[in-house]
Protein backbone atom coordinates (compact mmCIF):
# COMPACT_ATOMS: atom_id res chain seq x y z
CA UNK A 1 0.00 0.00 0.00
CA UNK A 2 1.21 3.52 -0.83
CA UNK A 3 2.66 5.64 1.95
CA UNK A 4 0.90 8.83 3.02
CA UNK A 5 2.16 12.05 4.56
CA UNK A 6 0.00 14.25 6.79
CA UNK A 7 0.76 17.25 8.97
CA UNK A 8 0.98 16.16 12.62
CA UNK A 9 -1.50 18.73 13.89
CA UNK A 10 -3.96 21.41 12.84
CA UNK A 11 -6.24 23.86 14.61
CA UNK A 12 -9.62 25.05 13.41
CA UNK A 13 -12.19 27.48 14.77
CA UNK A 14 -15.61 26.05 15.46
CA UNK A 15 -18.01 26.68 12.59
CA UNK A 16 -15.23 27.09 10.07
CA UNK A 17 -14.22 24.58 7.44
CA UNK A 18 -11.40 22.23 8.37
CA UNK A 19 -9.20 21.28 5.42
CA UNK A 20 -6.93 18.33 6.12
CA UNK A 21 -4.30 17.59 3.49
CA UNK A 22 -2.75 14.25 2.61
CA UNK A 23 0.11 13.53 0.27
CA UNK A 24 0.21 10.15 -1.46
CA UNK A 25 2.58 10.72 -4.34
CA UNK A 26 3.29 7.01 -4.90
CA UNK A 27 -0.35 5.96 -5.17
CA UNK A 28 -1.13 3.30 -7.76
CA UNK A 29 -3.96 3.43 -10.25
CA UNK A 30 -6.08 0.87 -8.41
CA UNK A 31 -5.59 2.28 -4.91
CA UNK A 32 -8.38 4.10 -3.14
CA UNK A 33 -7.98 6.96 -0.68
CA UNK A 34 -9.70 6.29 2.65
CA UNK A 35 -10.18 8.65 5.56
CA UNK A 36 -10.83 7.52 9.11
CA UNK A 37 -10.82 9.42 12.36
CA UNK A 38 -10.21 8.37 15.94
CA UNK A 39 -11.67 10.27 18.81
CA UNK A 40 -9.67 9.82 21.99
CA UNK A 41 -9.87 6.29 23.42
CA UNK A 42 -12.32 5.05 20.81
CA UNK A 43 -12.02 2.83 17.76
CA UNK A 44 -11.48 4.50 14.37
CA UNK A 45 -14.54 5.70 12.49
CA UNK A 46 -14.92 5.61 8.72
CA UNK A 47 -15.43 9.02 7.12
CA UNK A 48 -15.20 8.78 3.36
CA UNK A 49 -13.27 7.21 0.51
CA UNK A 50 -12.65 7.81 -3.19
CA UNK A 51 -10.71 6.66 -6.21
CA UNK A 52 -10.34 9.69 -8.49
CA UNK A 53 -13.55 11.68 -8.42
CA UNK A 54 -14.38 14.08 -5.63
CA UNK A 55 -16.79 12.61 -3.12
CA UNK A 56 -19.21 14.06 -0.60
CA UNK A 57 -21.30 12.51 2.13
CA UNK A 58 -23.07 13.71 5.23
CA UNK A 59 -19.81 13.92 7.17
CA UNK A 60 -17.29 15.40 4.78
CA UNK A 61 -16.03 16.06 1.27
CA UNK A 62 -12.99 14.48 -0.32
CA UNK A 63 -11.09 16.36 -2.99
CA UNK A 64 -8.56 14.33 -4.96
CA UNK A 65 -6.16 16.10 -7.31
CA UNK A 66 -6.22 15.18 -10.96
CA UNK A 67 -2.86 13.41 -10.72
CA UNK A 68 -4.11 11.62 -7.56
CA UNK A 69 -0.91 12.42 -5.70
CA UNK A 70 -2.69 14.31 -2.97
CA UNK A 71 -6.10 14.80 -1.45
CA UNK A 72 -7.91 17.03 1.01
CA UNK A 73 -10.57 16.08 3.50
CA UNK A 74 -12.98 18.92 4.15
CA UNK A 75 -15.20 19.15 7.21
CA UNK A 76 -17.45 22.02 6.09
CA UNK A 77 -18.51 23.29 9.51
CA UNK A 78 -16.24 21.91 12.18
CA UNK A 79 -17.59 21.42 15.70
CA UNK A 80 -15.85 20.63 18.98
CA UNK A 81 -16.89 17.00 18.51
CA UNK A 82 -14.74 16.82 15.38
CA UNK A 83 -11.60 17.06 17.51
CA UNK A 84 -9.83 13.79 16.71
CA UNK A 85 -6.88 12.21 14.93
CA UNK A 86 -7.60 11.93 11.21
CA UNK A 87 -5.94 9.17 9.22
CA UNK A 88 -5.49 9.17 5.46
CA UNK A 89 -4.92 5.66 4.10
CA UNK A 90 -4.44 4.47 0.55
CA UNK A 91 -4.98 0.88 -0.38
CA UNK A 92 -6.34 -1.45 -2.99
CA UNK A 93 -9.96 -2.27 -2.41
CA UNK A 94 -10.66 -5.98 -2.58
CA UNK A 95 -14.17 -7.37 -2.94
CA UNK A 96 -15.17 -8.71 0.46
CA UNK A 97 -12.36 -6.90 2.17
CA UNK A 98 -9.52 -8.99 3.54
CA UNK A 99 -6.60 -6.64 3.06
CA UNK A 100 -5.22 -5.07 6.18
CA UNK A 101 -5.31 -1.33 6.81
CA UNK A 102 -1.98 0.27 7.62
CA UNK A 103 -2.23 3.42 9.70
CA UNK A 104 0.24 6.28 9.50
CA UNK A 105 0.65 8.92 12.19
CA UNK A 106 -2.39 10.97 11.15
CA UNK A 107 -3.29 14.60 11.84
CA UNK A 108 -4.48 15.70 15.26
CA UNK A 109 -7.26 18.18 14.56
CA UNK A 110 -8.19 20.45 17.43
CA UNK A 111 -11.40 22.43 17.00
CA UNK A 112 -11.62 25.42 19.31
CA UNK A 113 -14.20 28.01 20.21
CA UNK B 1 -25.21 -1.58 10.07
CA UNK B 2 -21.92 -3.46 10.33
CA UNK B 3 -21.29 -3.16 14.04
CA UNK B 4 -18.41 -4.84 15.83
CA UNK B 5 -18.99 -5.12 19.56
CA UNK B 6 -15.81 -5.30 21.64
CA UNK B 7 -15.65 -6.29 25.31
CA UNK B 8 -14.51 -5.43 27.83
CA UNK B 9 -13.98 -1.72 27.23
CA UNK B 10 -11.39 -1.63 29.97
CA UNK B 11 -9.70 -4.15 32.24
CA UNK B 12 -7.10 -4.08 34.99
CA UNK B 13 -5.23 -7.27 35.75
CA UNK B 14 -2.28 -8.40 37.82
CA UNK B 15 1.06 -9.34 36.27
CA UNK B 16 1.17 -12.96 35.28
CA UNK B 17 -2.52 -13.38 34.70
CA UNK B 18 -4.32 -13.77 31.37
CA UNK B 19 -6.95 -11.51 29.87
CA UNK B 20 -9.42 -12.31 27.10
CA UNK B 21 -10.83 -9.67 24.77
CA UNK B 22 -13.84 -10.48 22.61
CA UNK B 23 -15.01 -8.99 19.35
CA UNK B 24 -18.38 -9.91 17.93
CA UNK B 25 -19.81 -8.89 14.58
CA UNK B 26 -23.46 -8.15 15.34
CA UNK B 27 -25.14 -7.91 11.96
CA UNK B 28 -22.72 -9.43 9.51
CA UNK B 29 -20.37 -12.36 9.20
CA UNK B 30 -16.75 -11.53 9.80
CA UNK B 31 -14.58 -14.14 8.12
CA UNK B 32 -11.56 -11.98 8.87
CA UNK B 33 -10.72 -9.94 11.96
CA UNK B 34 -7.73 -7.65 12.38
CA UNK B 35 -6.26 -6.99 15.81
CA UNK B 36 -4.43 -3.74 16.50
CA UNK B 37 -2.54 -2.38 19.47
CA UNK B 38 -2.12 1.30 20.21
CA UNK B 39 0.25 2.81 22.76
CA UNK B 40 -0.36 6.34 24.09
CA UNK B 41 0.12 9.08 21.50
CA UNK B 42 0.99 6.52 18.83
CA UNK B 43 -0.81 5.17 15.82
CA UNK B 44 -2.51 1.80 15.50
CA UNK B 45 -0.13 -1.08 14.89
CA UNK B 46 -1.46 -4.28 13.37
CA UNK B 47 -0.70 -7.30 15.55
CA UNK B 48 -2.39 -10.15 13.74
CA UNK B 49 -5.07 -11.22 11.31
CA UNK B 50 -7.51 -13.94 12.27
CA UNK B 51 -9.52 -15.97 9.80
CA UNK B 52 -12.49 -18.09 10.75
CA UNK B 53 -11.56 -21.72 11.05
CA UNK B 54 -7.83 -21.31 10.49
CA UNK B 55 -4.72 -20.17 12.32
CA UNK B 56 -4.09 -16.49 12.79
CA UNK B 57 -1.32 -14.69 10.93
CA UNK B 58 0.93 -12.60 13.15
CA UNK B 59 2.91 -9.53 12.18
CA UNK B 60 6.65 -9.59 12.59
CA UNK B 61 7.72 -9.16 16.18
CA UNK B 62 4.38 -10.20 17.71
CA UNK B 63 4.63 -13.29 19.92
CA UNK B 64 1.96 -15.75 18.88
CA UNK B 65 2.26 -17.73 22.12
CA UNK B 66 1.65 -14.61 24.15
CA UNK B 67 -1.22 -13.18 22.12
CA UNK B 68 -3.55 -16.09 21.45
CA UNK B 69 -6.17 -15.49 18.82
CA UNK B 70 -9.20 -17.66 18.26
CA UNK B 71 -11.73 -17.18 15.47
CA UNK B 72 -13.98 -20.16 15.95
CA UNK B 73 -17.13 -18.71 14.39
CA UNK B 74 -18.14 -16.18 11.78
CA UNK B 75 -19.25 -13.74 14.45
CA UNK B 76 -16.67 -14.07 17.22
CA UNK B 77 -12.93 -13.52 17.42
CA UNK B 78 -11.01 -13.43 20.70
CA UNK B 79 -7.58 -12.18 21.71
CA UNK B 80 -6.07 -13.58 24.90
CA UNK B 81 -3.07 -11.83 26.41
CA UNK B 82 -1.31 -14.56 28.36
CA UNK B 83 0.98 -13.98 31.32
CA UNK B 84 0.44 -10.27 31.03
CA UNK B 85 3.16 -7.82 32.05
CA UNK B 86 3.01 -4.06 32.57
CA UNK B 87 4.53 -3.49 29.12
CA UNK B 88 1.45 -5.17 27.62
CA UNK B 89 -0.66 -2.30 28.93
CA UNK B 90 -2.16 -0.75 25.83
CA UNK B 91 -5.33 -0.04 23.85
CA UNK B 92 -6.39 -3.08 21.82
CA UNK B 93 -8.76 -2.66 18.87
CA UNK B 94 -10.36 -5.17 16.52
CA UNK B 95 -11.56 -4.51 13.00
CA UNK B 96 -13.47 -6.46 10.41
CA UNK B 97 -13.85 -5.79 6.69
CA UNK B 98 -17.34 -5.18 5.37
CA UNK B 99 -18.51 -7.02 2.33
CA UNK B 100 -19.39 -3.90 0.41
CA UNK B 101 -17.19 -1.16 -0.96
CA UNK B 102 -18.62 1.74 0.96
CA UNK B 103 -17.21 1.35 4.45
CA UNK B 104 -14.18 -0.79 3.93
CA UNK B 105 -13.72 -1.69 7.56
CA UNK B 106 -15.60 -1.36 10.81
CA UNK B 107 -13.84 -1.12 14.15
CA UNK B 108 -14.61 -2.18 17.68
CA UNK B 109 -14.65 0.46 20.40
CA UNK B 110 -11.37 -0.76 21.85
CA UNK B 111 -10.19 -2.31 25.13
CA UNK B 112 -7.94 -0.43 27.53
CA UNK B 113 -5.73 -3.00 29.26
CA UNK B 114 -3.77 -2.00 32.34
CA UNK B 115 -1.43 -4.57 33.88
CA UNK B 116 -0.34 -3.81 37.42
Amino acid sequence: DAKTTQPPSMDCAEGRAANLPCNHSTISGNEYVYWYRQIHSQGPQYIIHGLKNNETNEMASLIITEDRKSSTLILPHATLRDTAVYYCIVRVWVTGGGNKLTFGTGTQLKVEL
Amino acid sequence: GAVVSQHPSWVICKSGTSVKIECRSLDFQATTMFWYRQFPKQSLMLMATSNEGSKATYEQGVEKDKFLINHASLTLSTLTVTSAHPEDSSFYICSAPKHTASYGYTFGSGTRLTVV
Side-chain angles (χ1 to χ4, degrees):
Chain A
D1 294 337
K3 182 179 176 181
T4 62
T5 304
Q6 299 177 253
S9 64
M10 292 183 66
D11 293 333
C12 179
E14 189 177 35
R16 295 294 190 106
N19 297 291
L20 292 90
C22 180
N23 187 295
H24 33 79
S25 57
T26 60
I27 192 170
S28 303
N30 60 348
E31 287 184 308
Y32 285 71
V33 180
Y34 283 84
W35 283 84
Y36 286 80
R37 73 179 183 184
Q38 185 180 25
I39 296 171
H40 183 63
S41 293
Q42 295 183 25
Q45 175 191 22
Y46 166 84
I47 301 173
I48 200 167
H49 79 286
L51 183 62
K52 50 181 145 181
N53 297 323
N54 296 338
E55 302 288 344
T56 295
N57 63 21
E58 64 278 5
M59 288 183 70
S61 294
L62 173 61
I63 308 298
I64 303 174
T65 58
E66 195 169 335
D67 63 7
R68 301 186 71 239
K69 293 185 177 182
S70 65
S71 61
T72 301
L73 177 73
I74 301 173
L75 307 179
H77 305 287
T79 71
L80 298 178
R81 287 180 293 183
D82 292 321
T83 293
V85 178
Y86 287 76
Y87 295 99
C88 167
I89 302 168
V90 293
R91 63 173 294 278
V92 175
W93 176 72
V94 177
T95 302
N99 281 17
K100 61 188 179 184
L101 278 180
T102 301
F103 287 81
T105 52
T107 296
Q108 171 67 66
L109 175 68
K110 182 187 283 188
V111 181
E112 299 171 312
L113 292 171
Chain B
V3 175
V4 171
S5 176
Q6 184 171 348
H7 293 280
S9 56
W10 62 271
V11 57
I12 302 173
C13 72
K14 292 185 177 181
S15 287
T17 62
S18 296
V19 173
K20 180 185 284 187
I21 301 170
E22 291 188 349
C23 278
R24 293 181 184 274
S25 55
L26 298 186
D27 51 359
F28 69 104
Q29 294 182 332
T31 55
T32 300
M33 191 74 76
F34 299 103
W35 288 93
Y36 293 85
R37 179 169 53 181
Q38 186 177 33
F39 293 107
K41 297 190 185 298
Q42 294 187 23
S43 187
L44 286 78
M45 294 297 295
L46 182 68
M47 299 175 64
T49 303
S50 73
N51 294 289
E52 186 268 336
S54 63
K55 288 186 178 180
T57 304
Y58 291 82
E59 296 297 302
Q60 192 172 8
V62 177
E63 299 175 60
K64 61 180 181 181
D65 294 329
K66 180 170 184 61
F67 299 99
L68 301 179
I69 291 174
N70 184 282
H71 196 148
S73 78
L74 289 172
T75 59
L76 175 64
S77 178
T78 62
L79 167 67
T80 301
V81 182
T82 62
S83 187
H85 292 285
E87 56 265 30
D88 298 324
S89 297
S90 188
F91 192 56
Y92 293 85
I93 308 167
C94 59
S95 172
K98 265 182 63 73
H99 293 277
T100 62
S102 60
Y103 273 63
Y105 297 81
T106 187
F107 288 81
S109 54
T111 297
R112 173 76 58 194
L113 170 64
T114 302
V115 185
V116 298

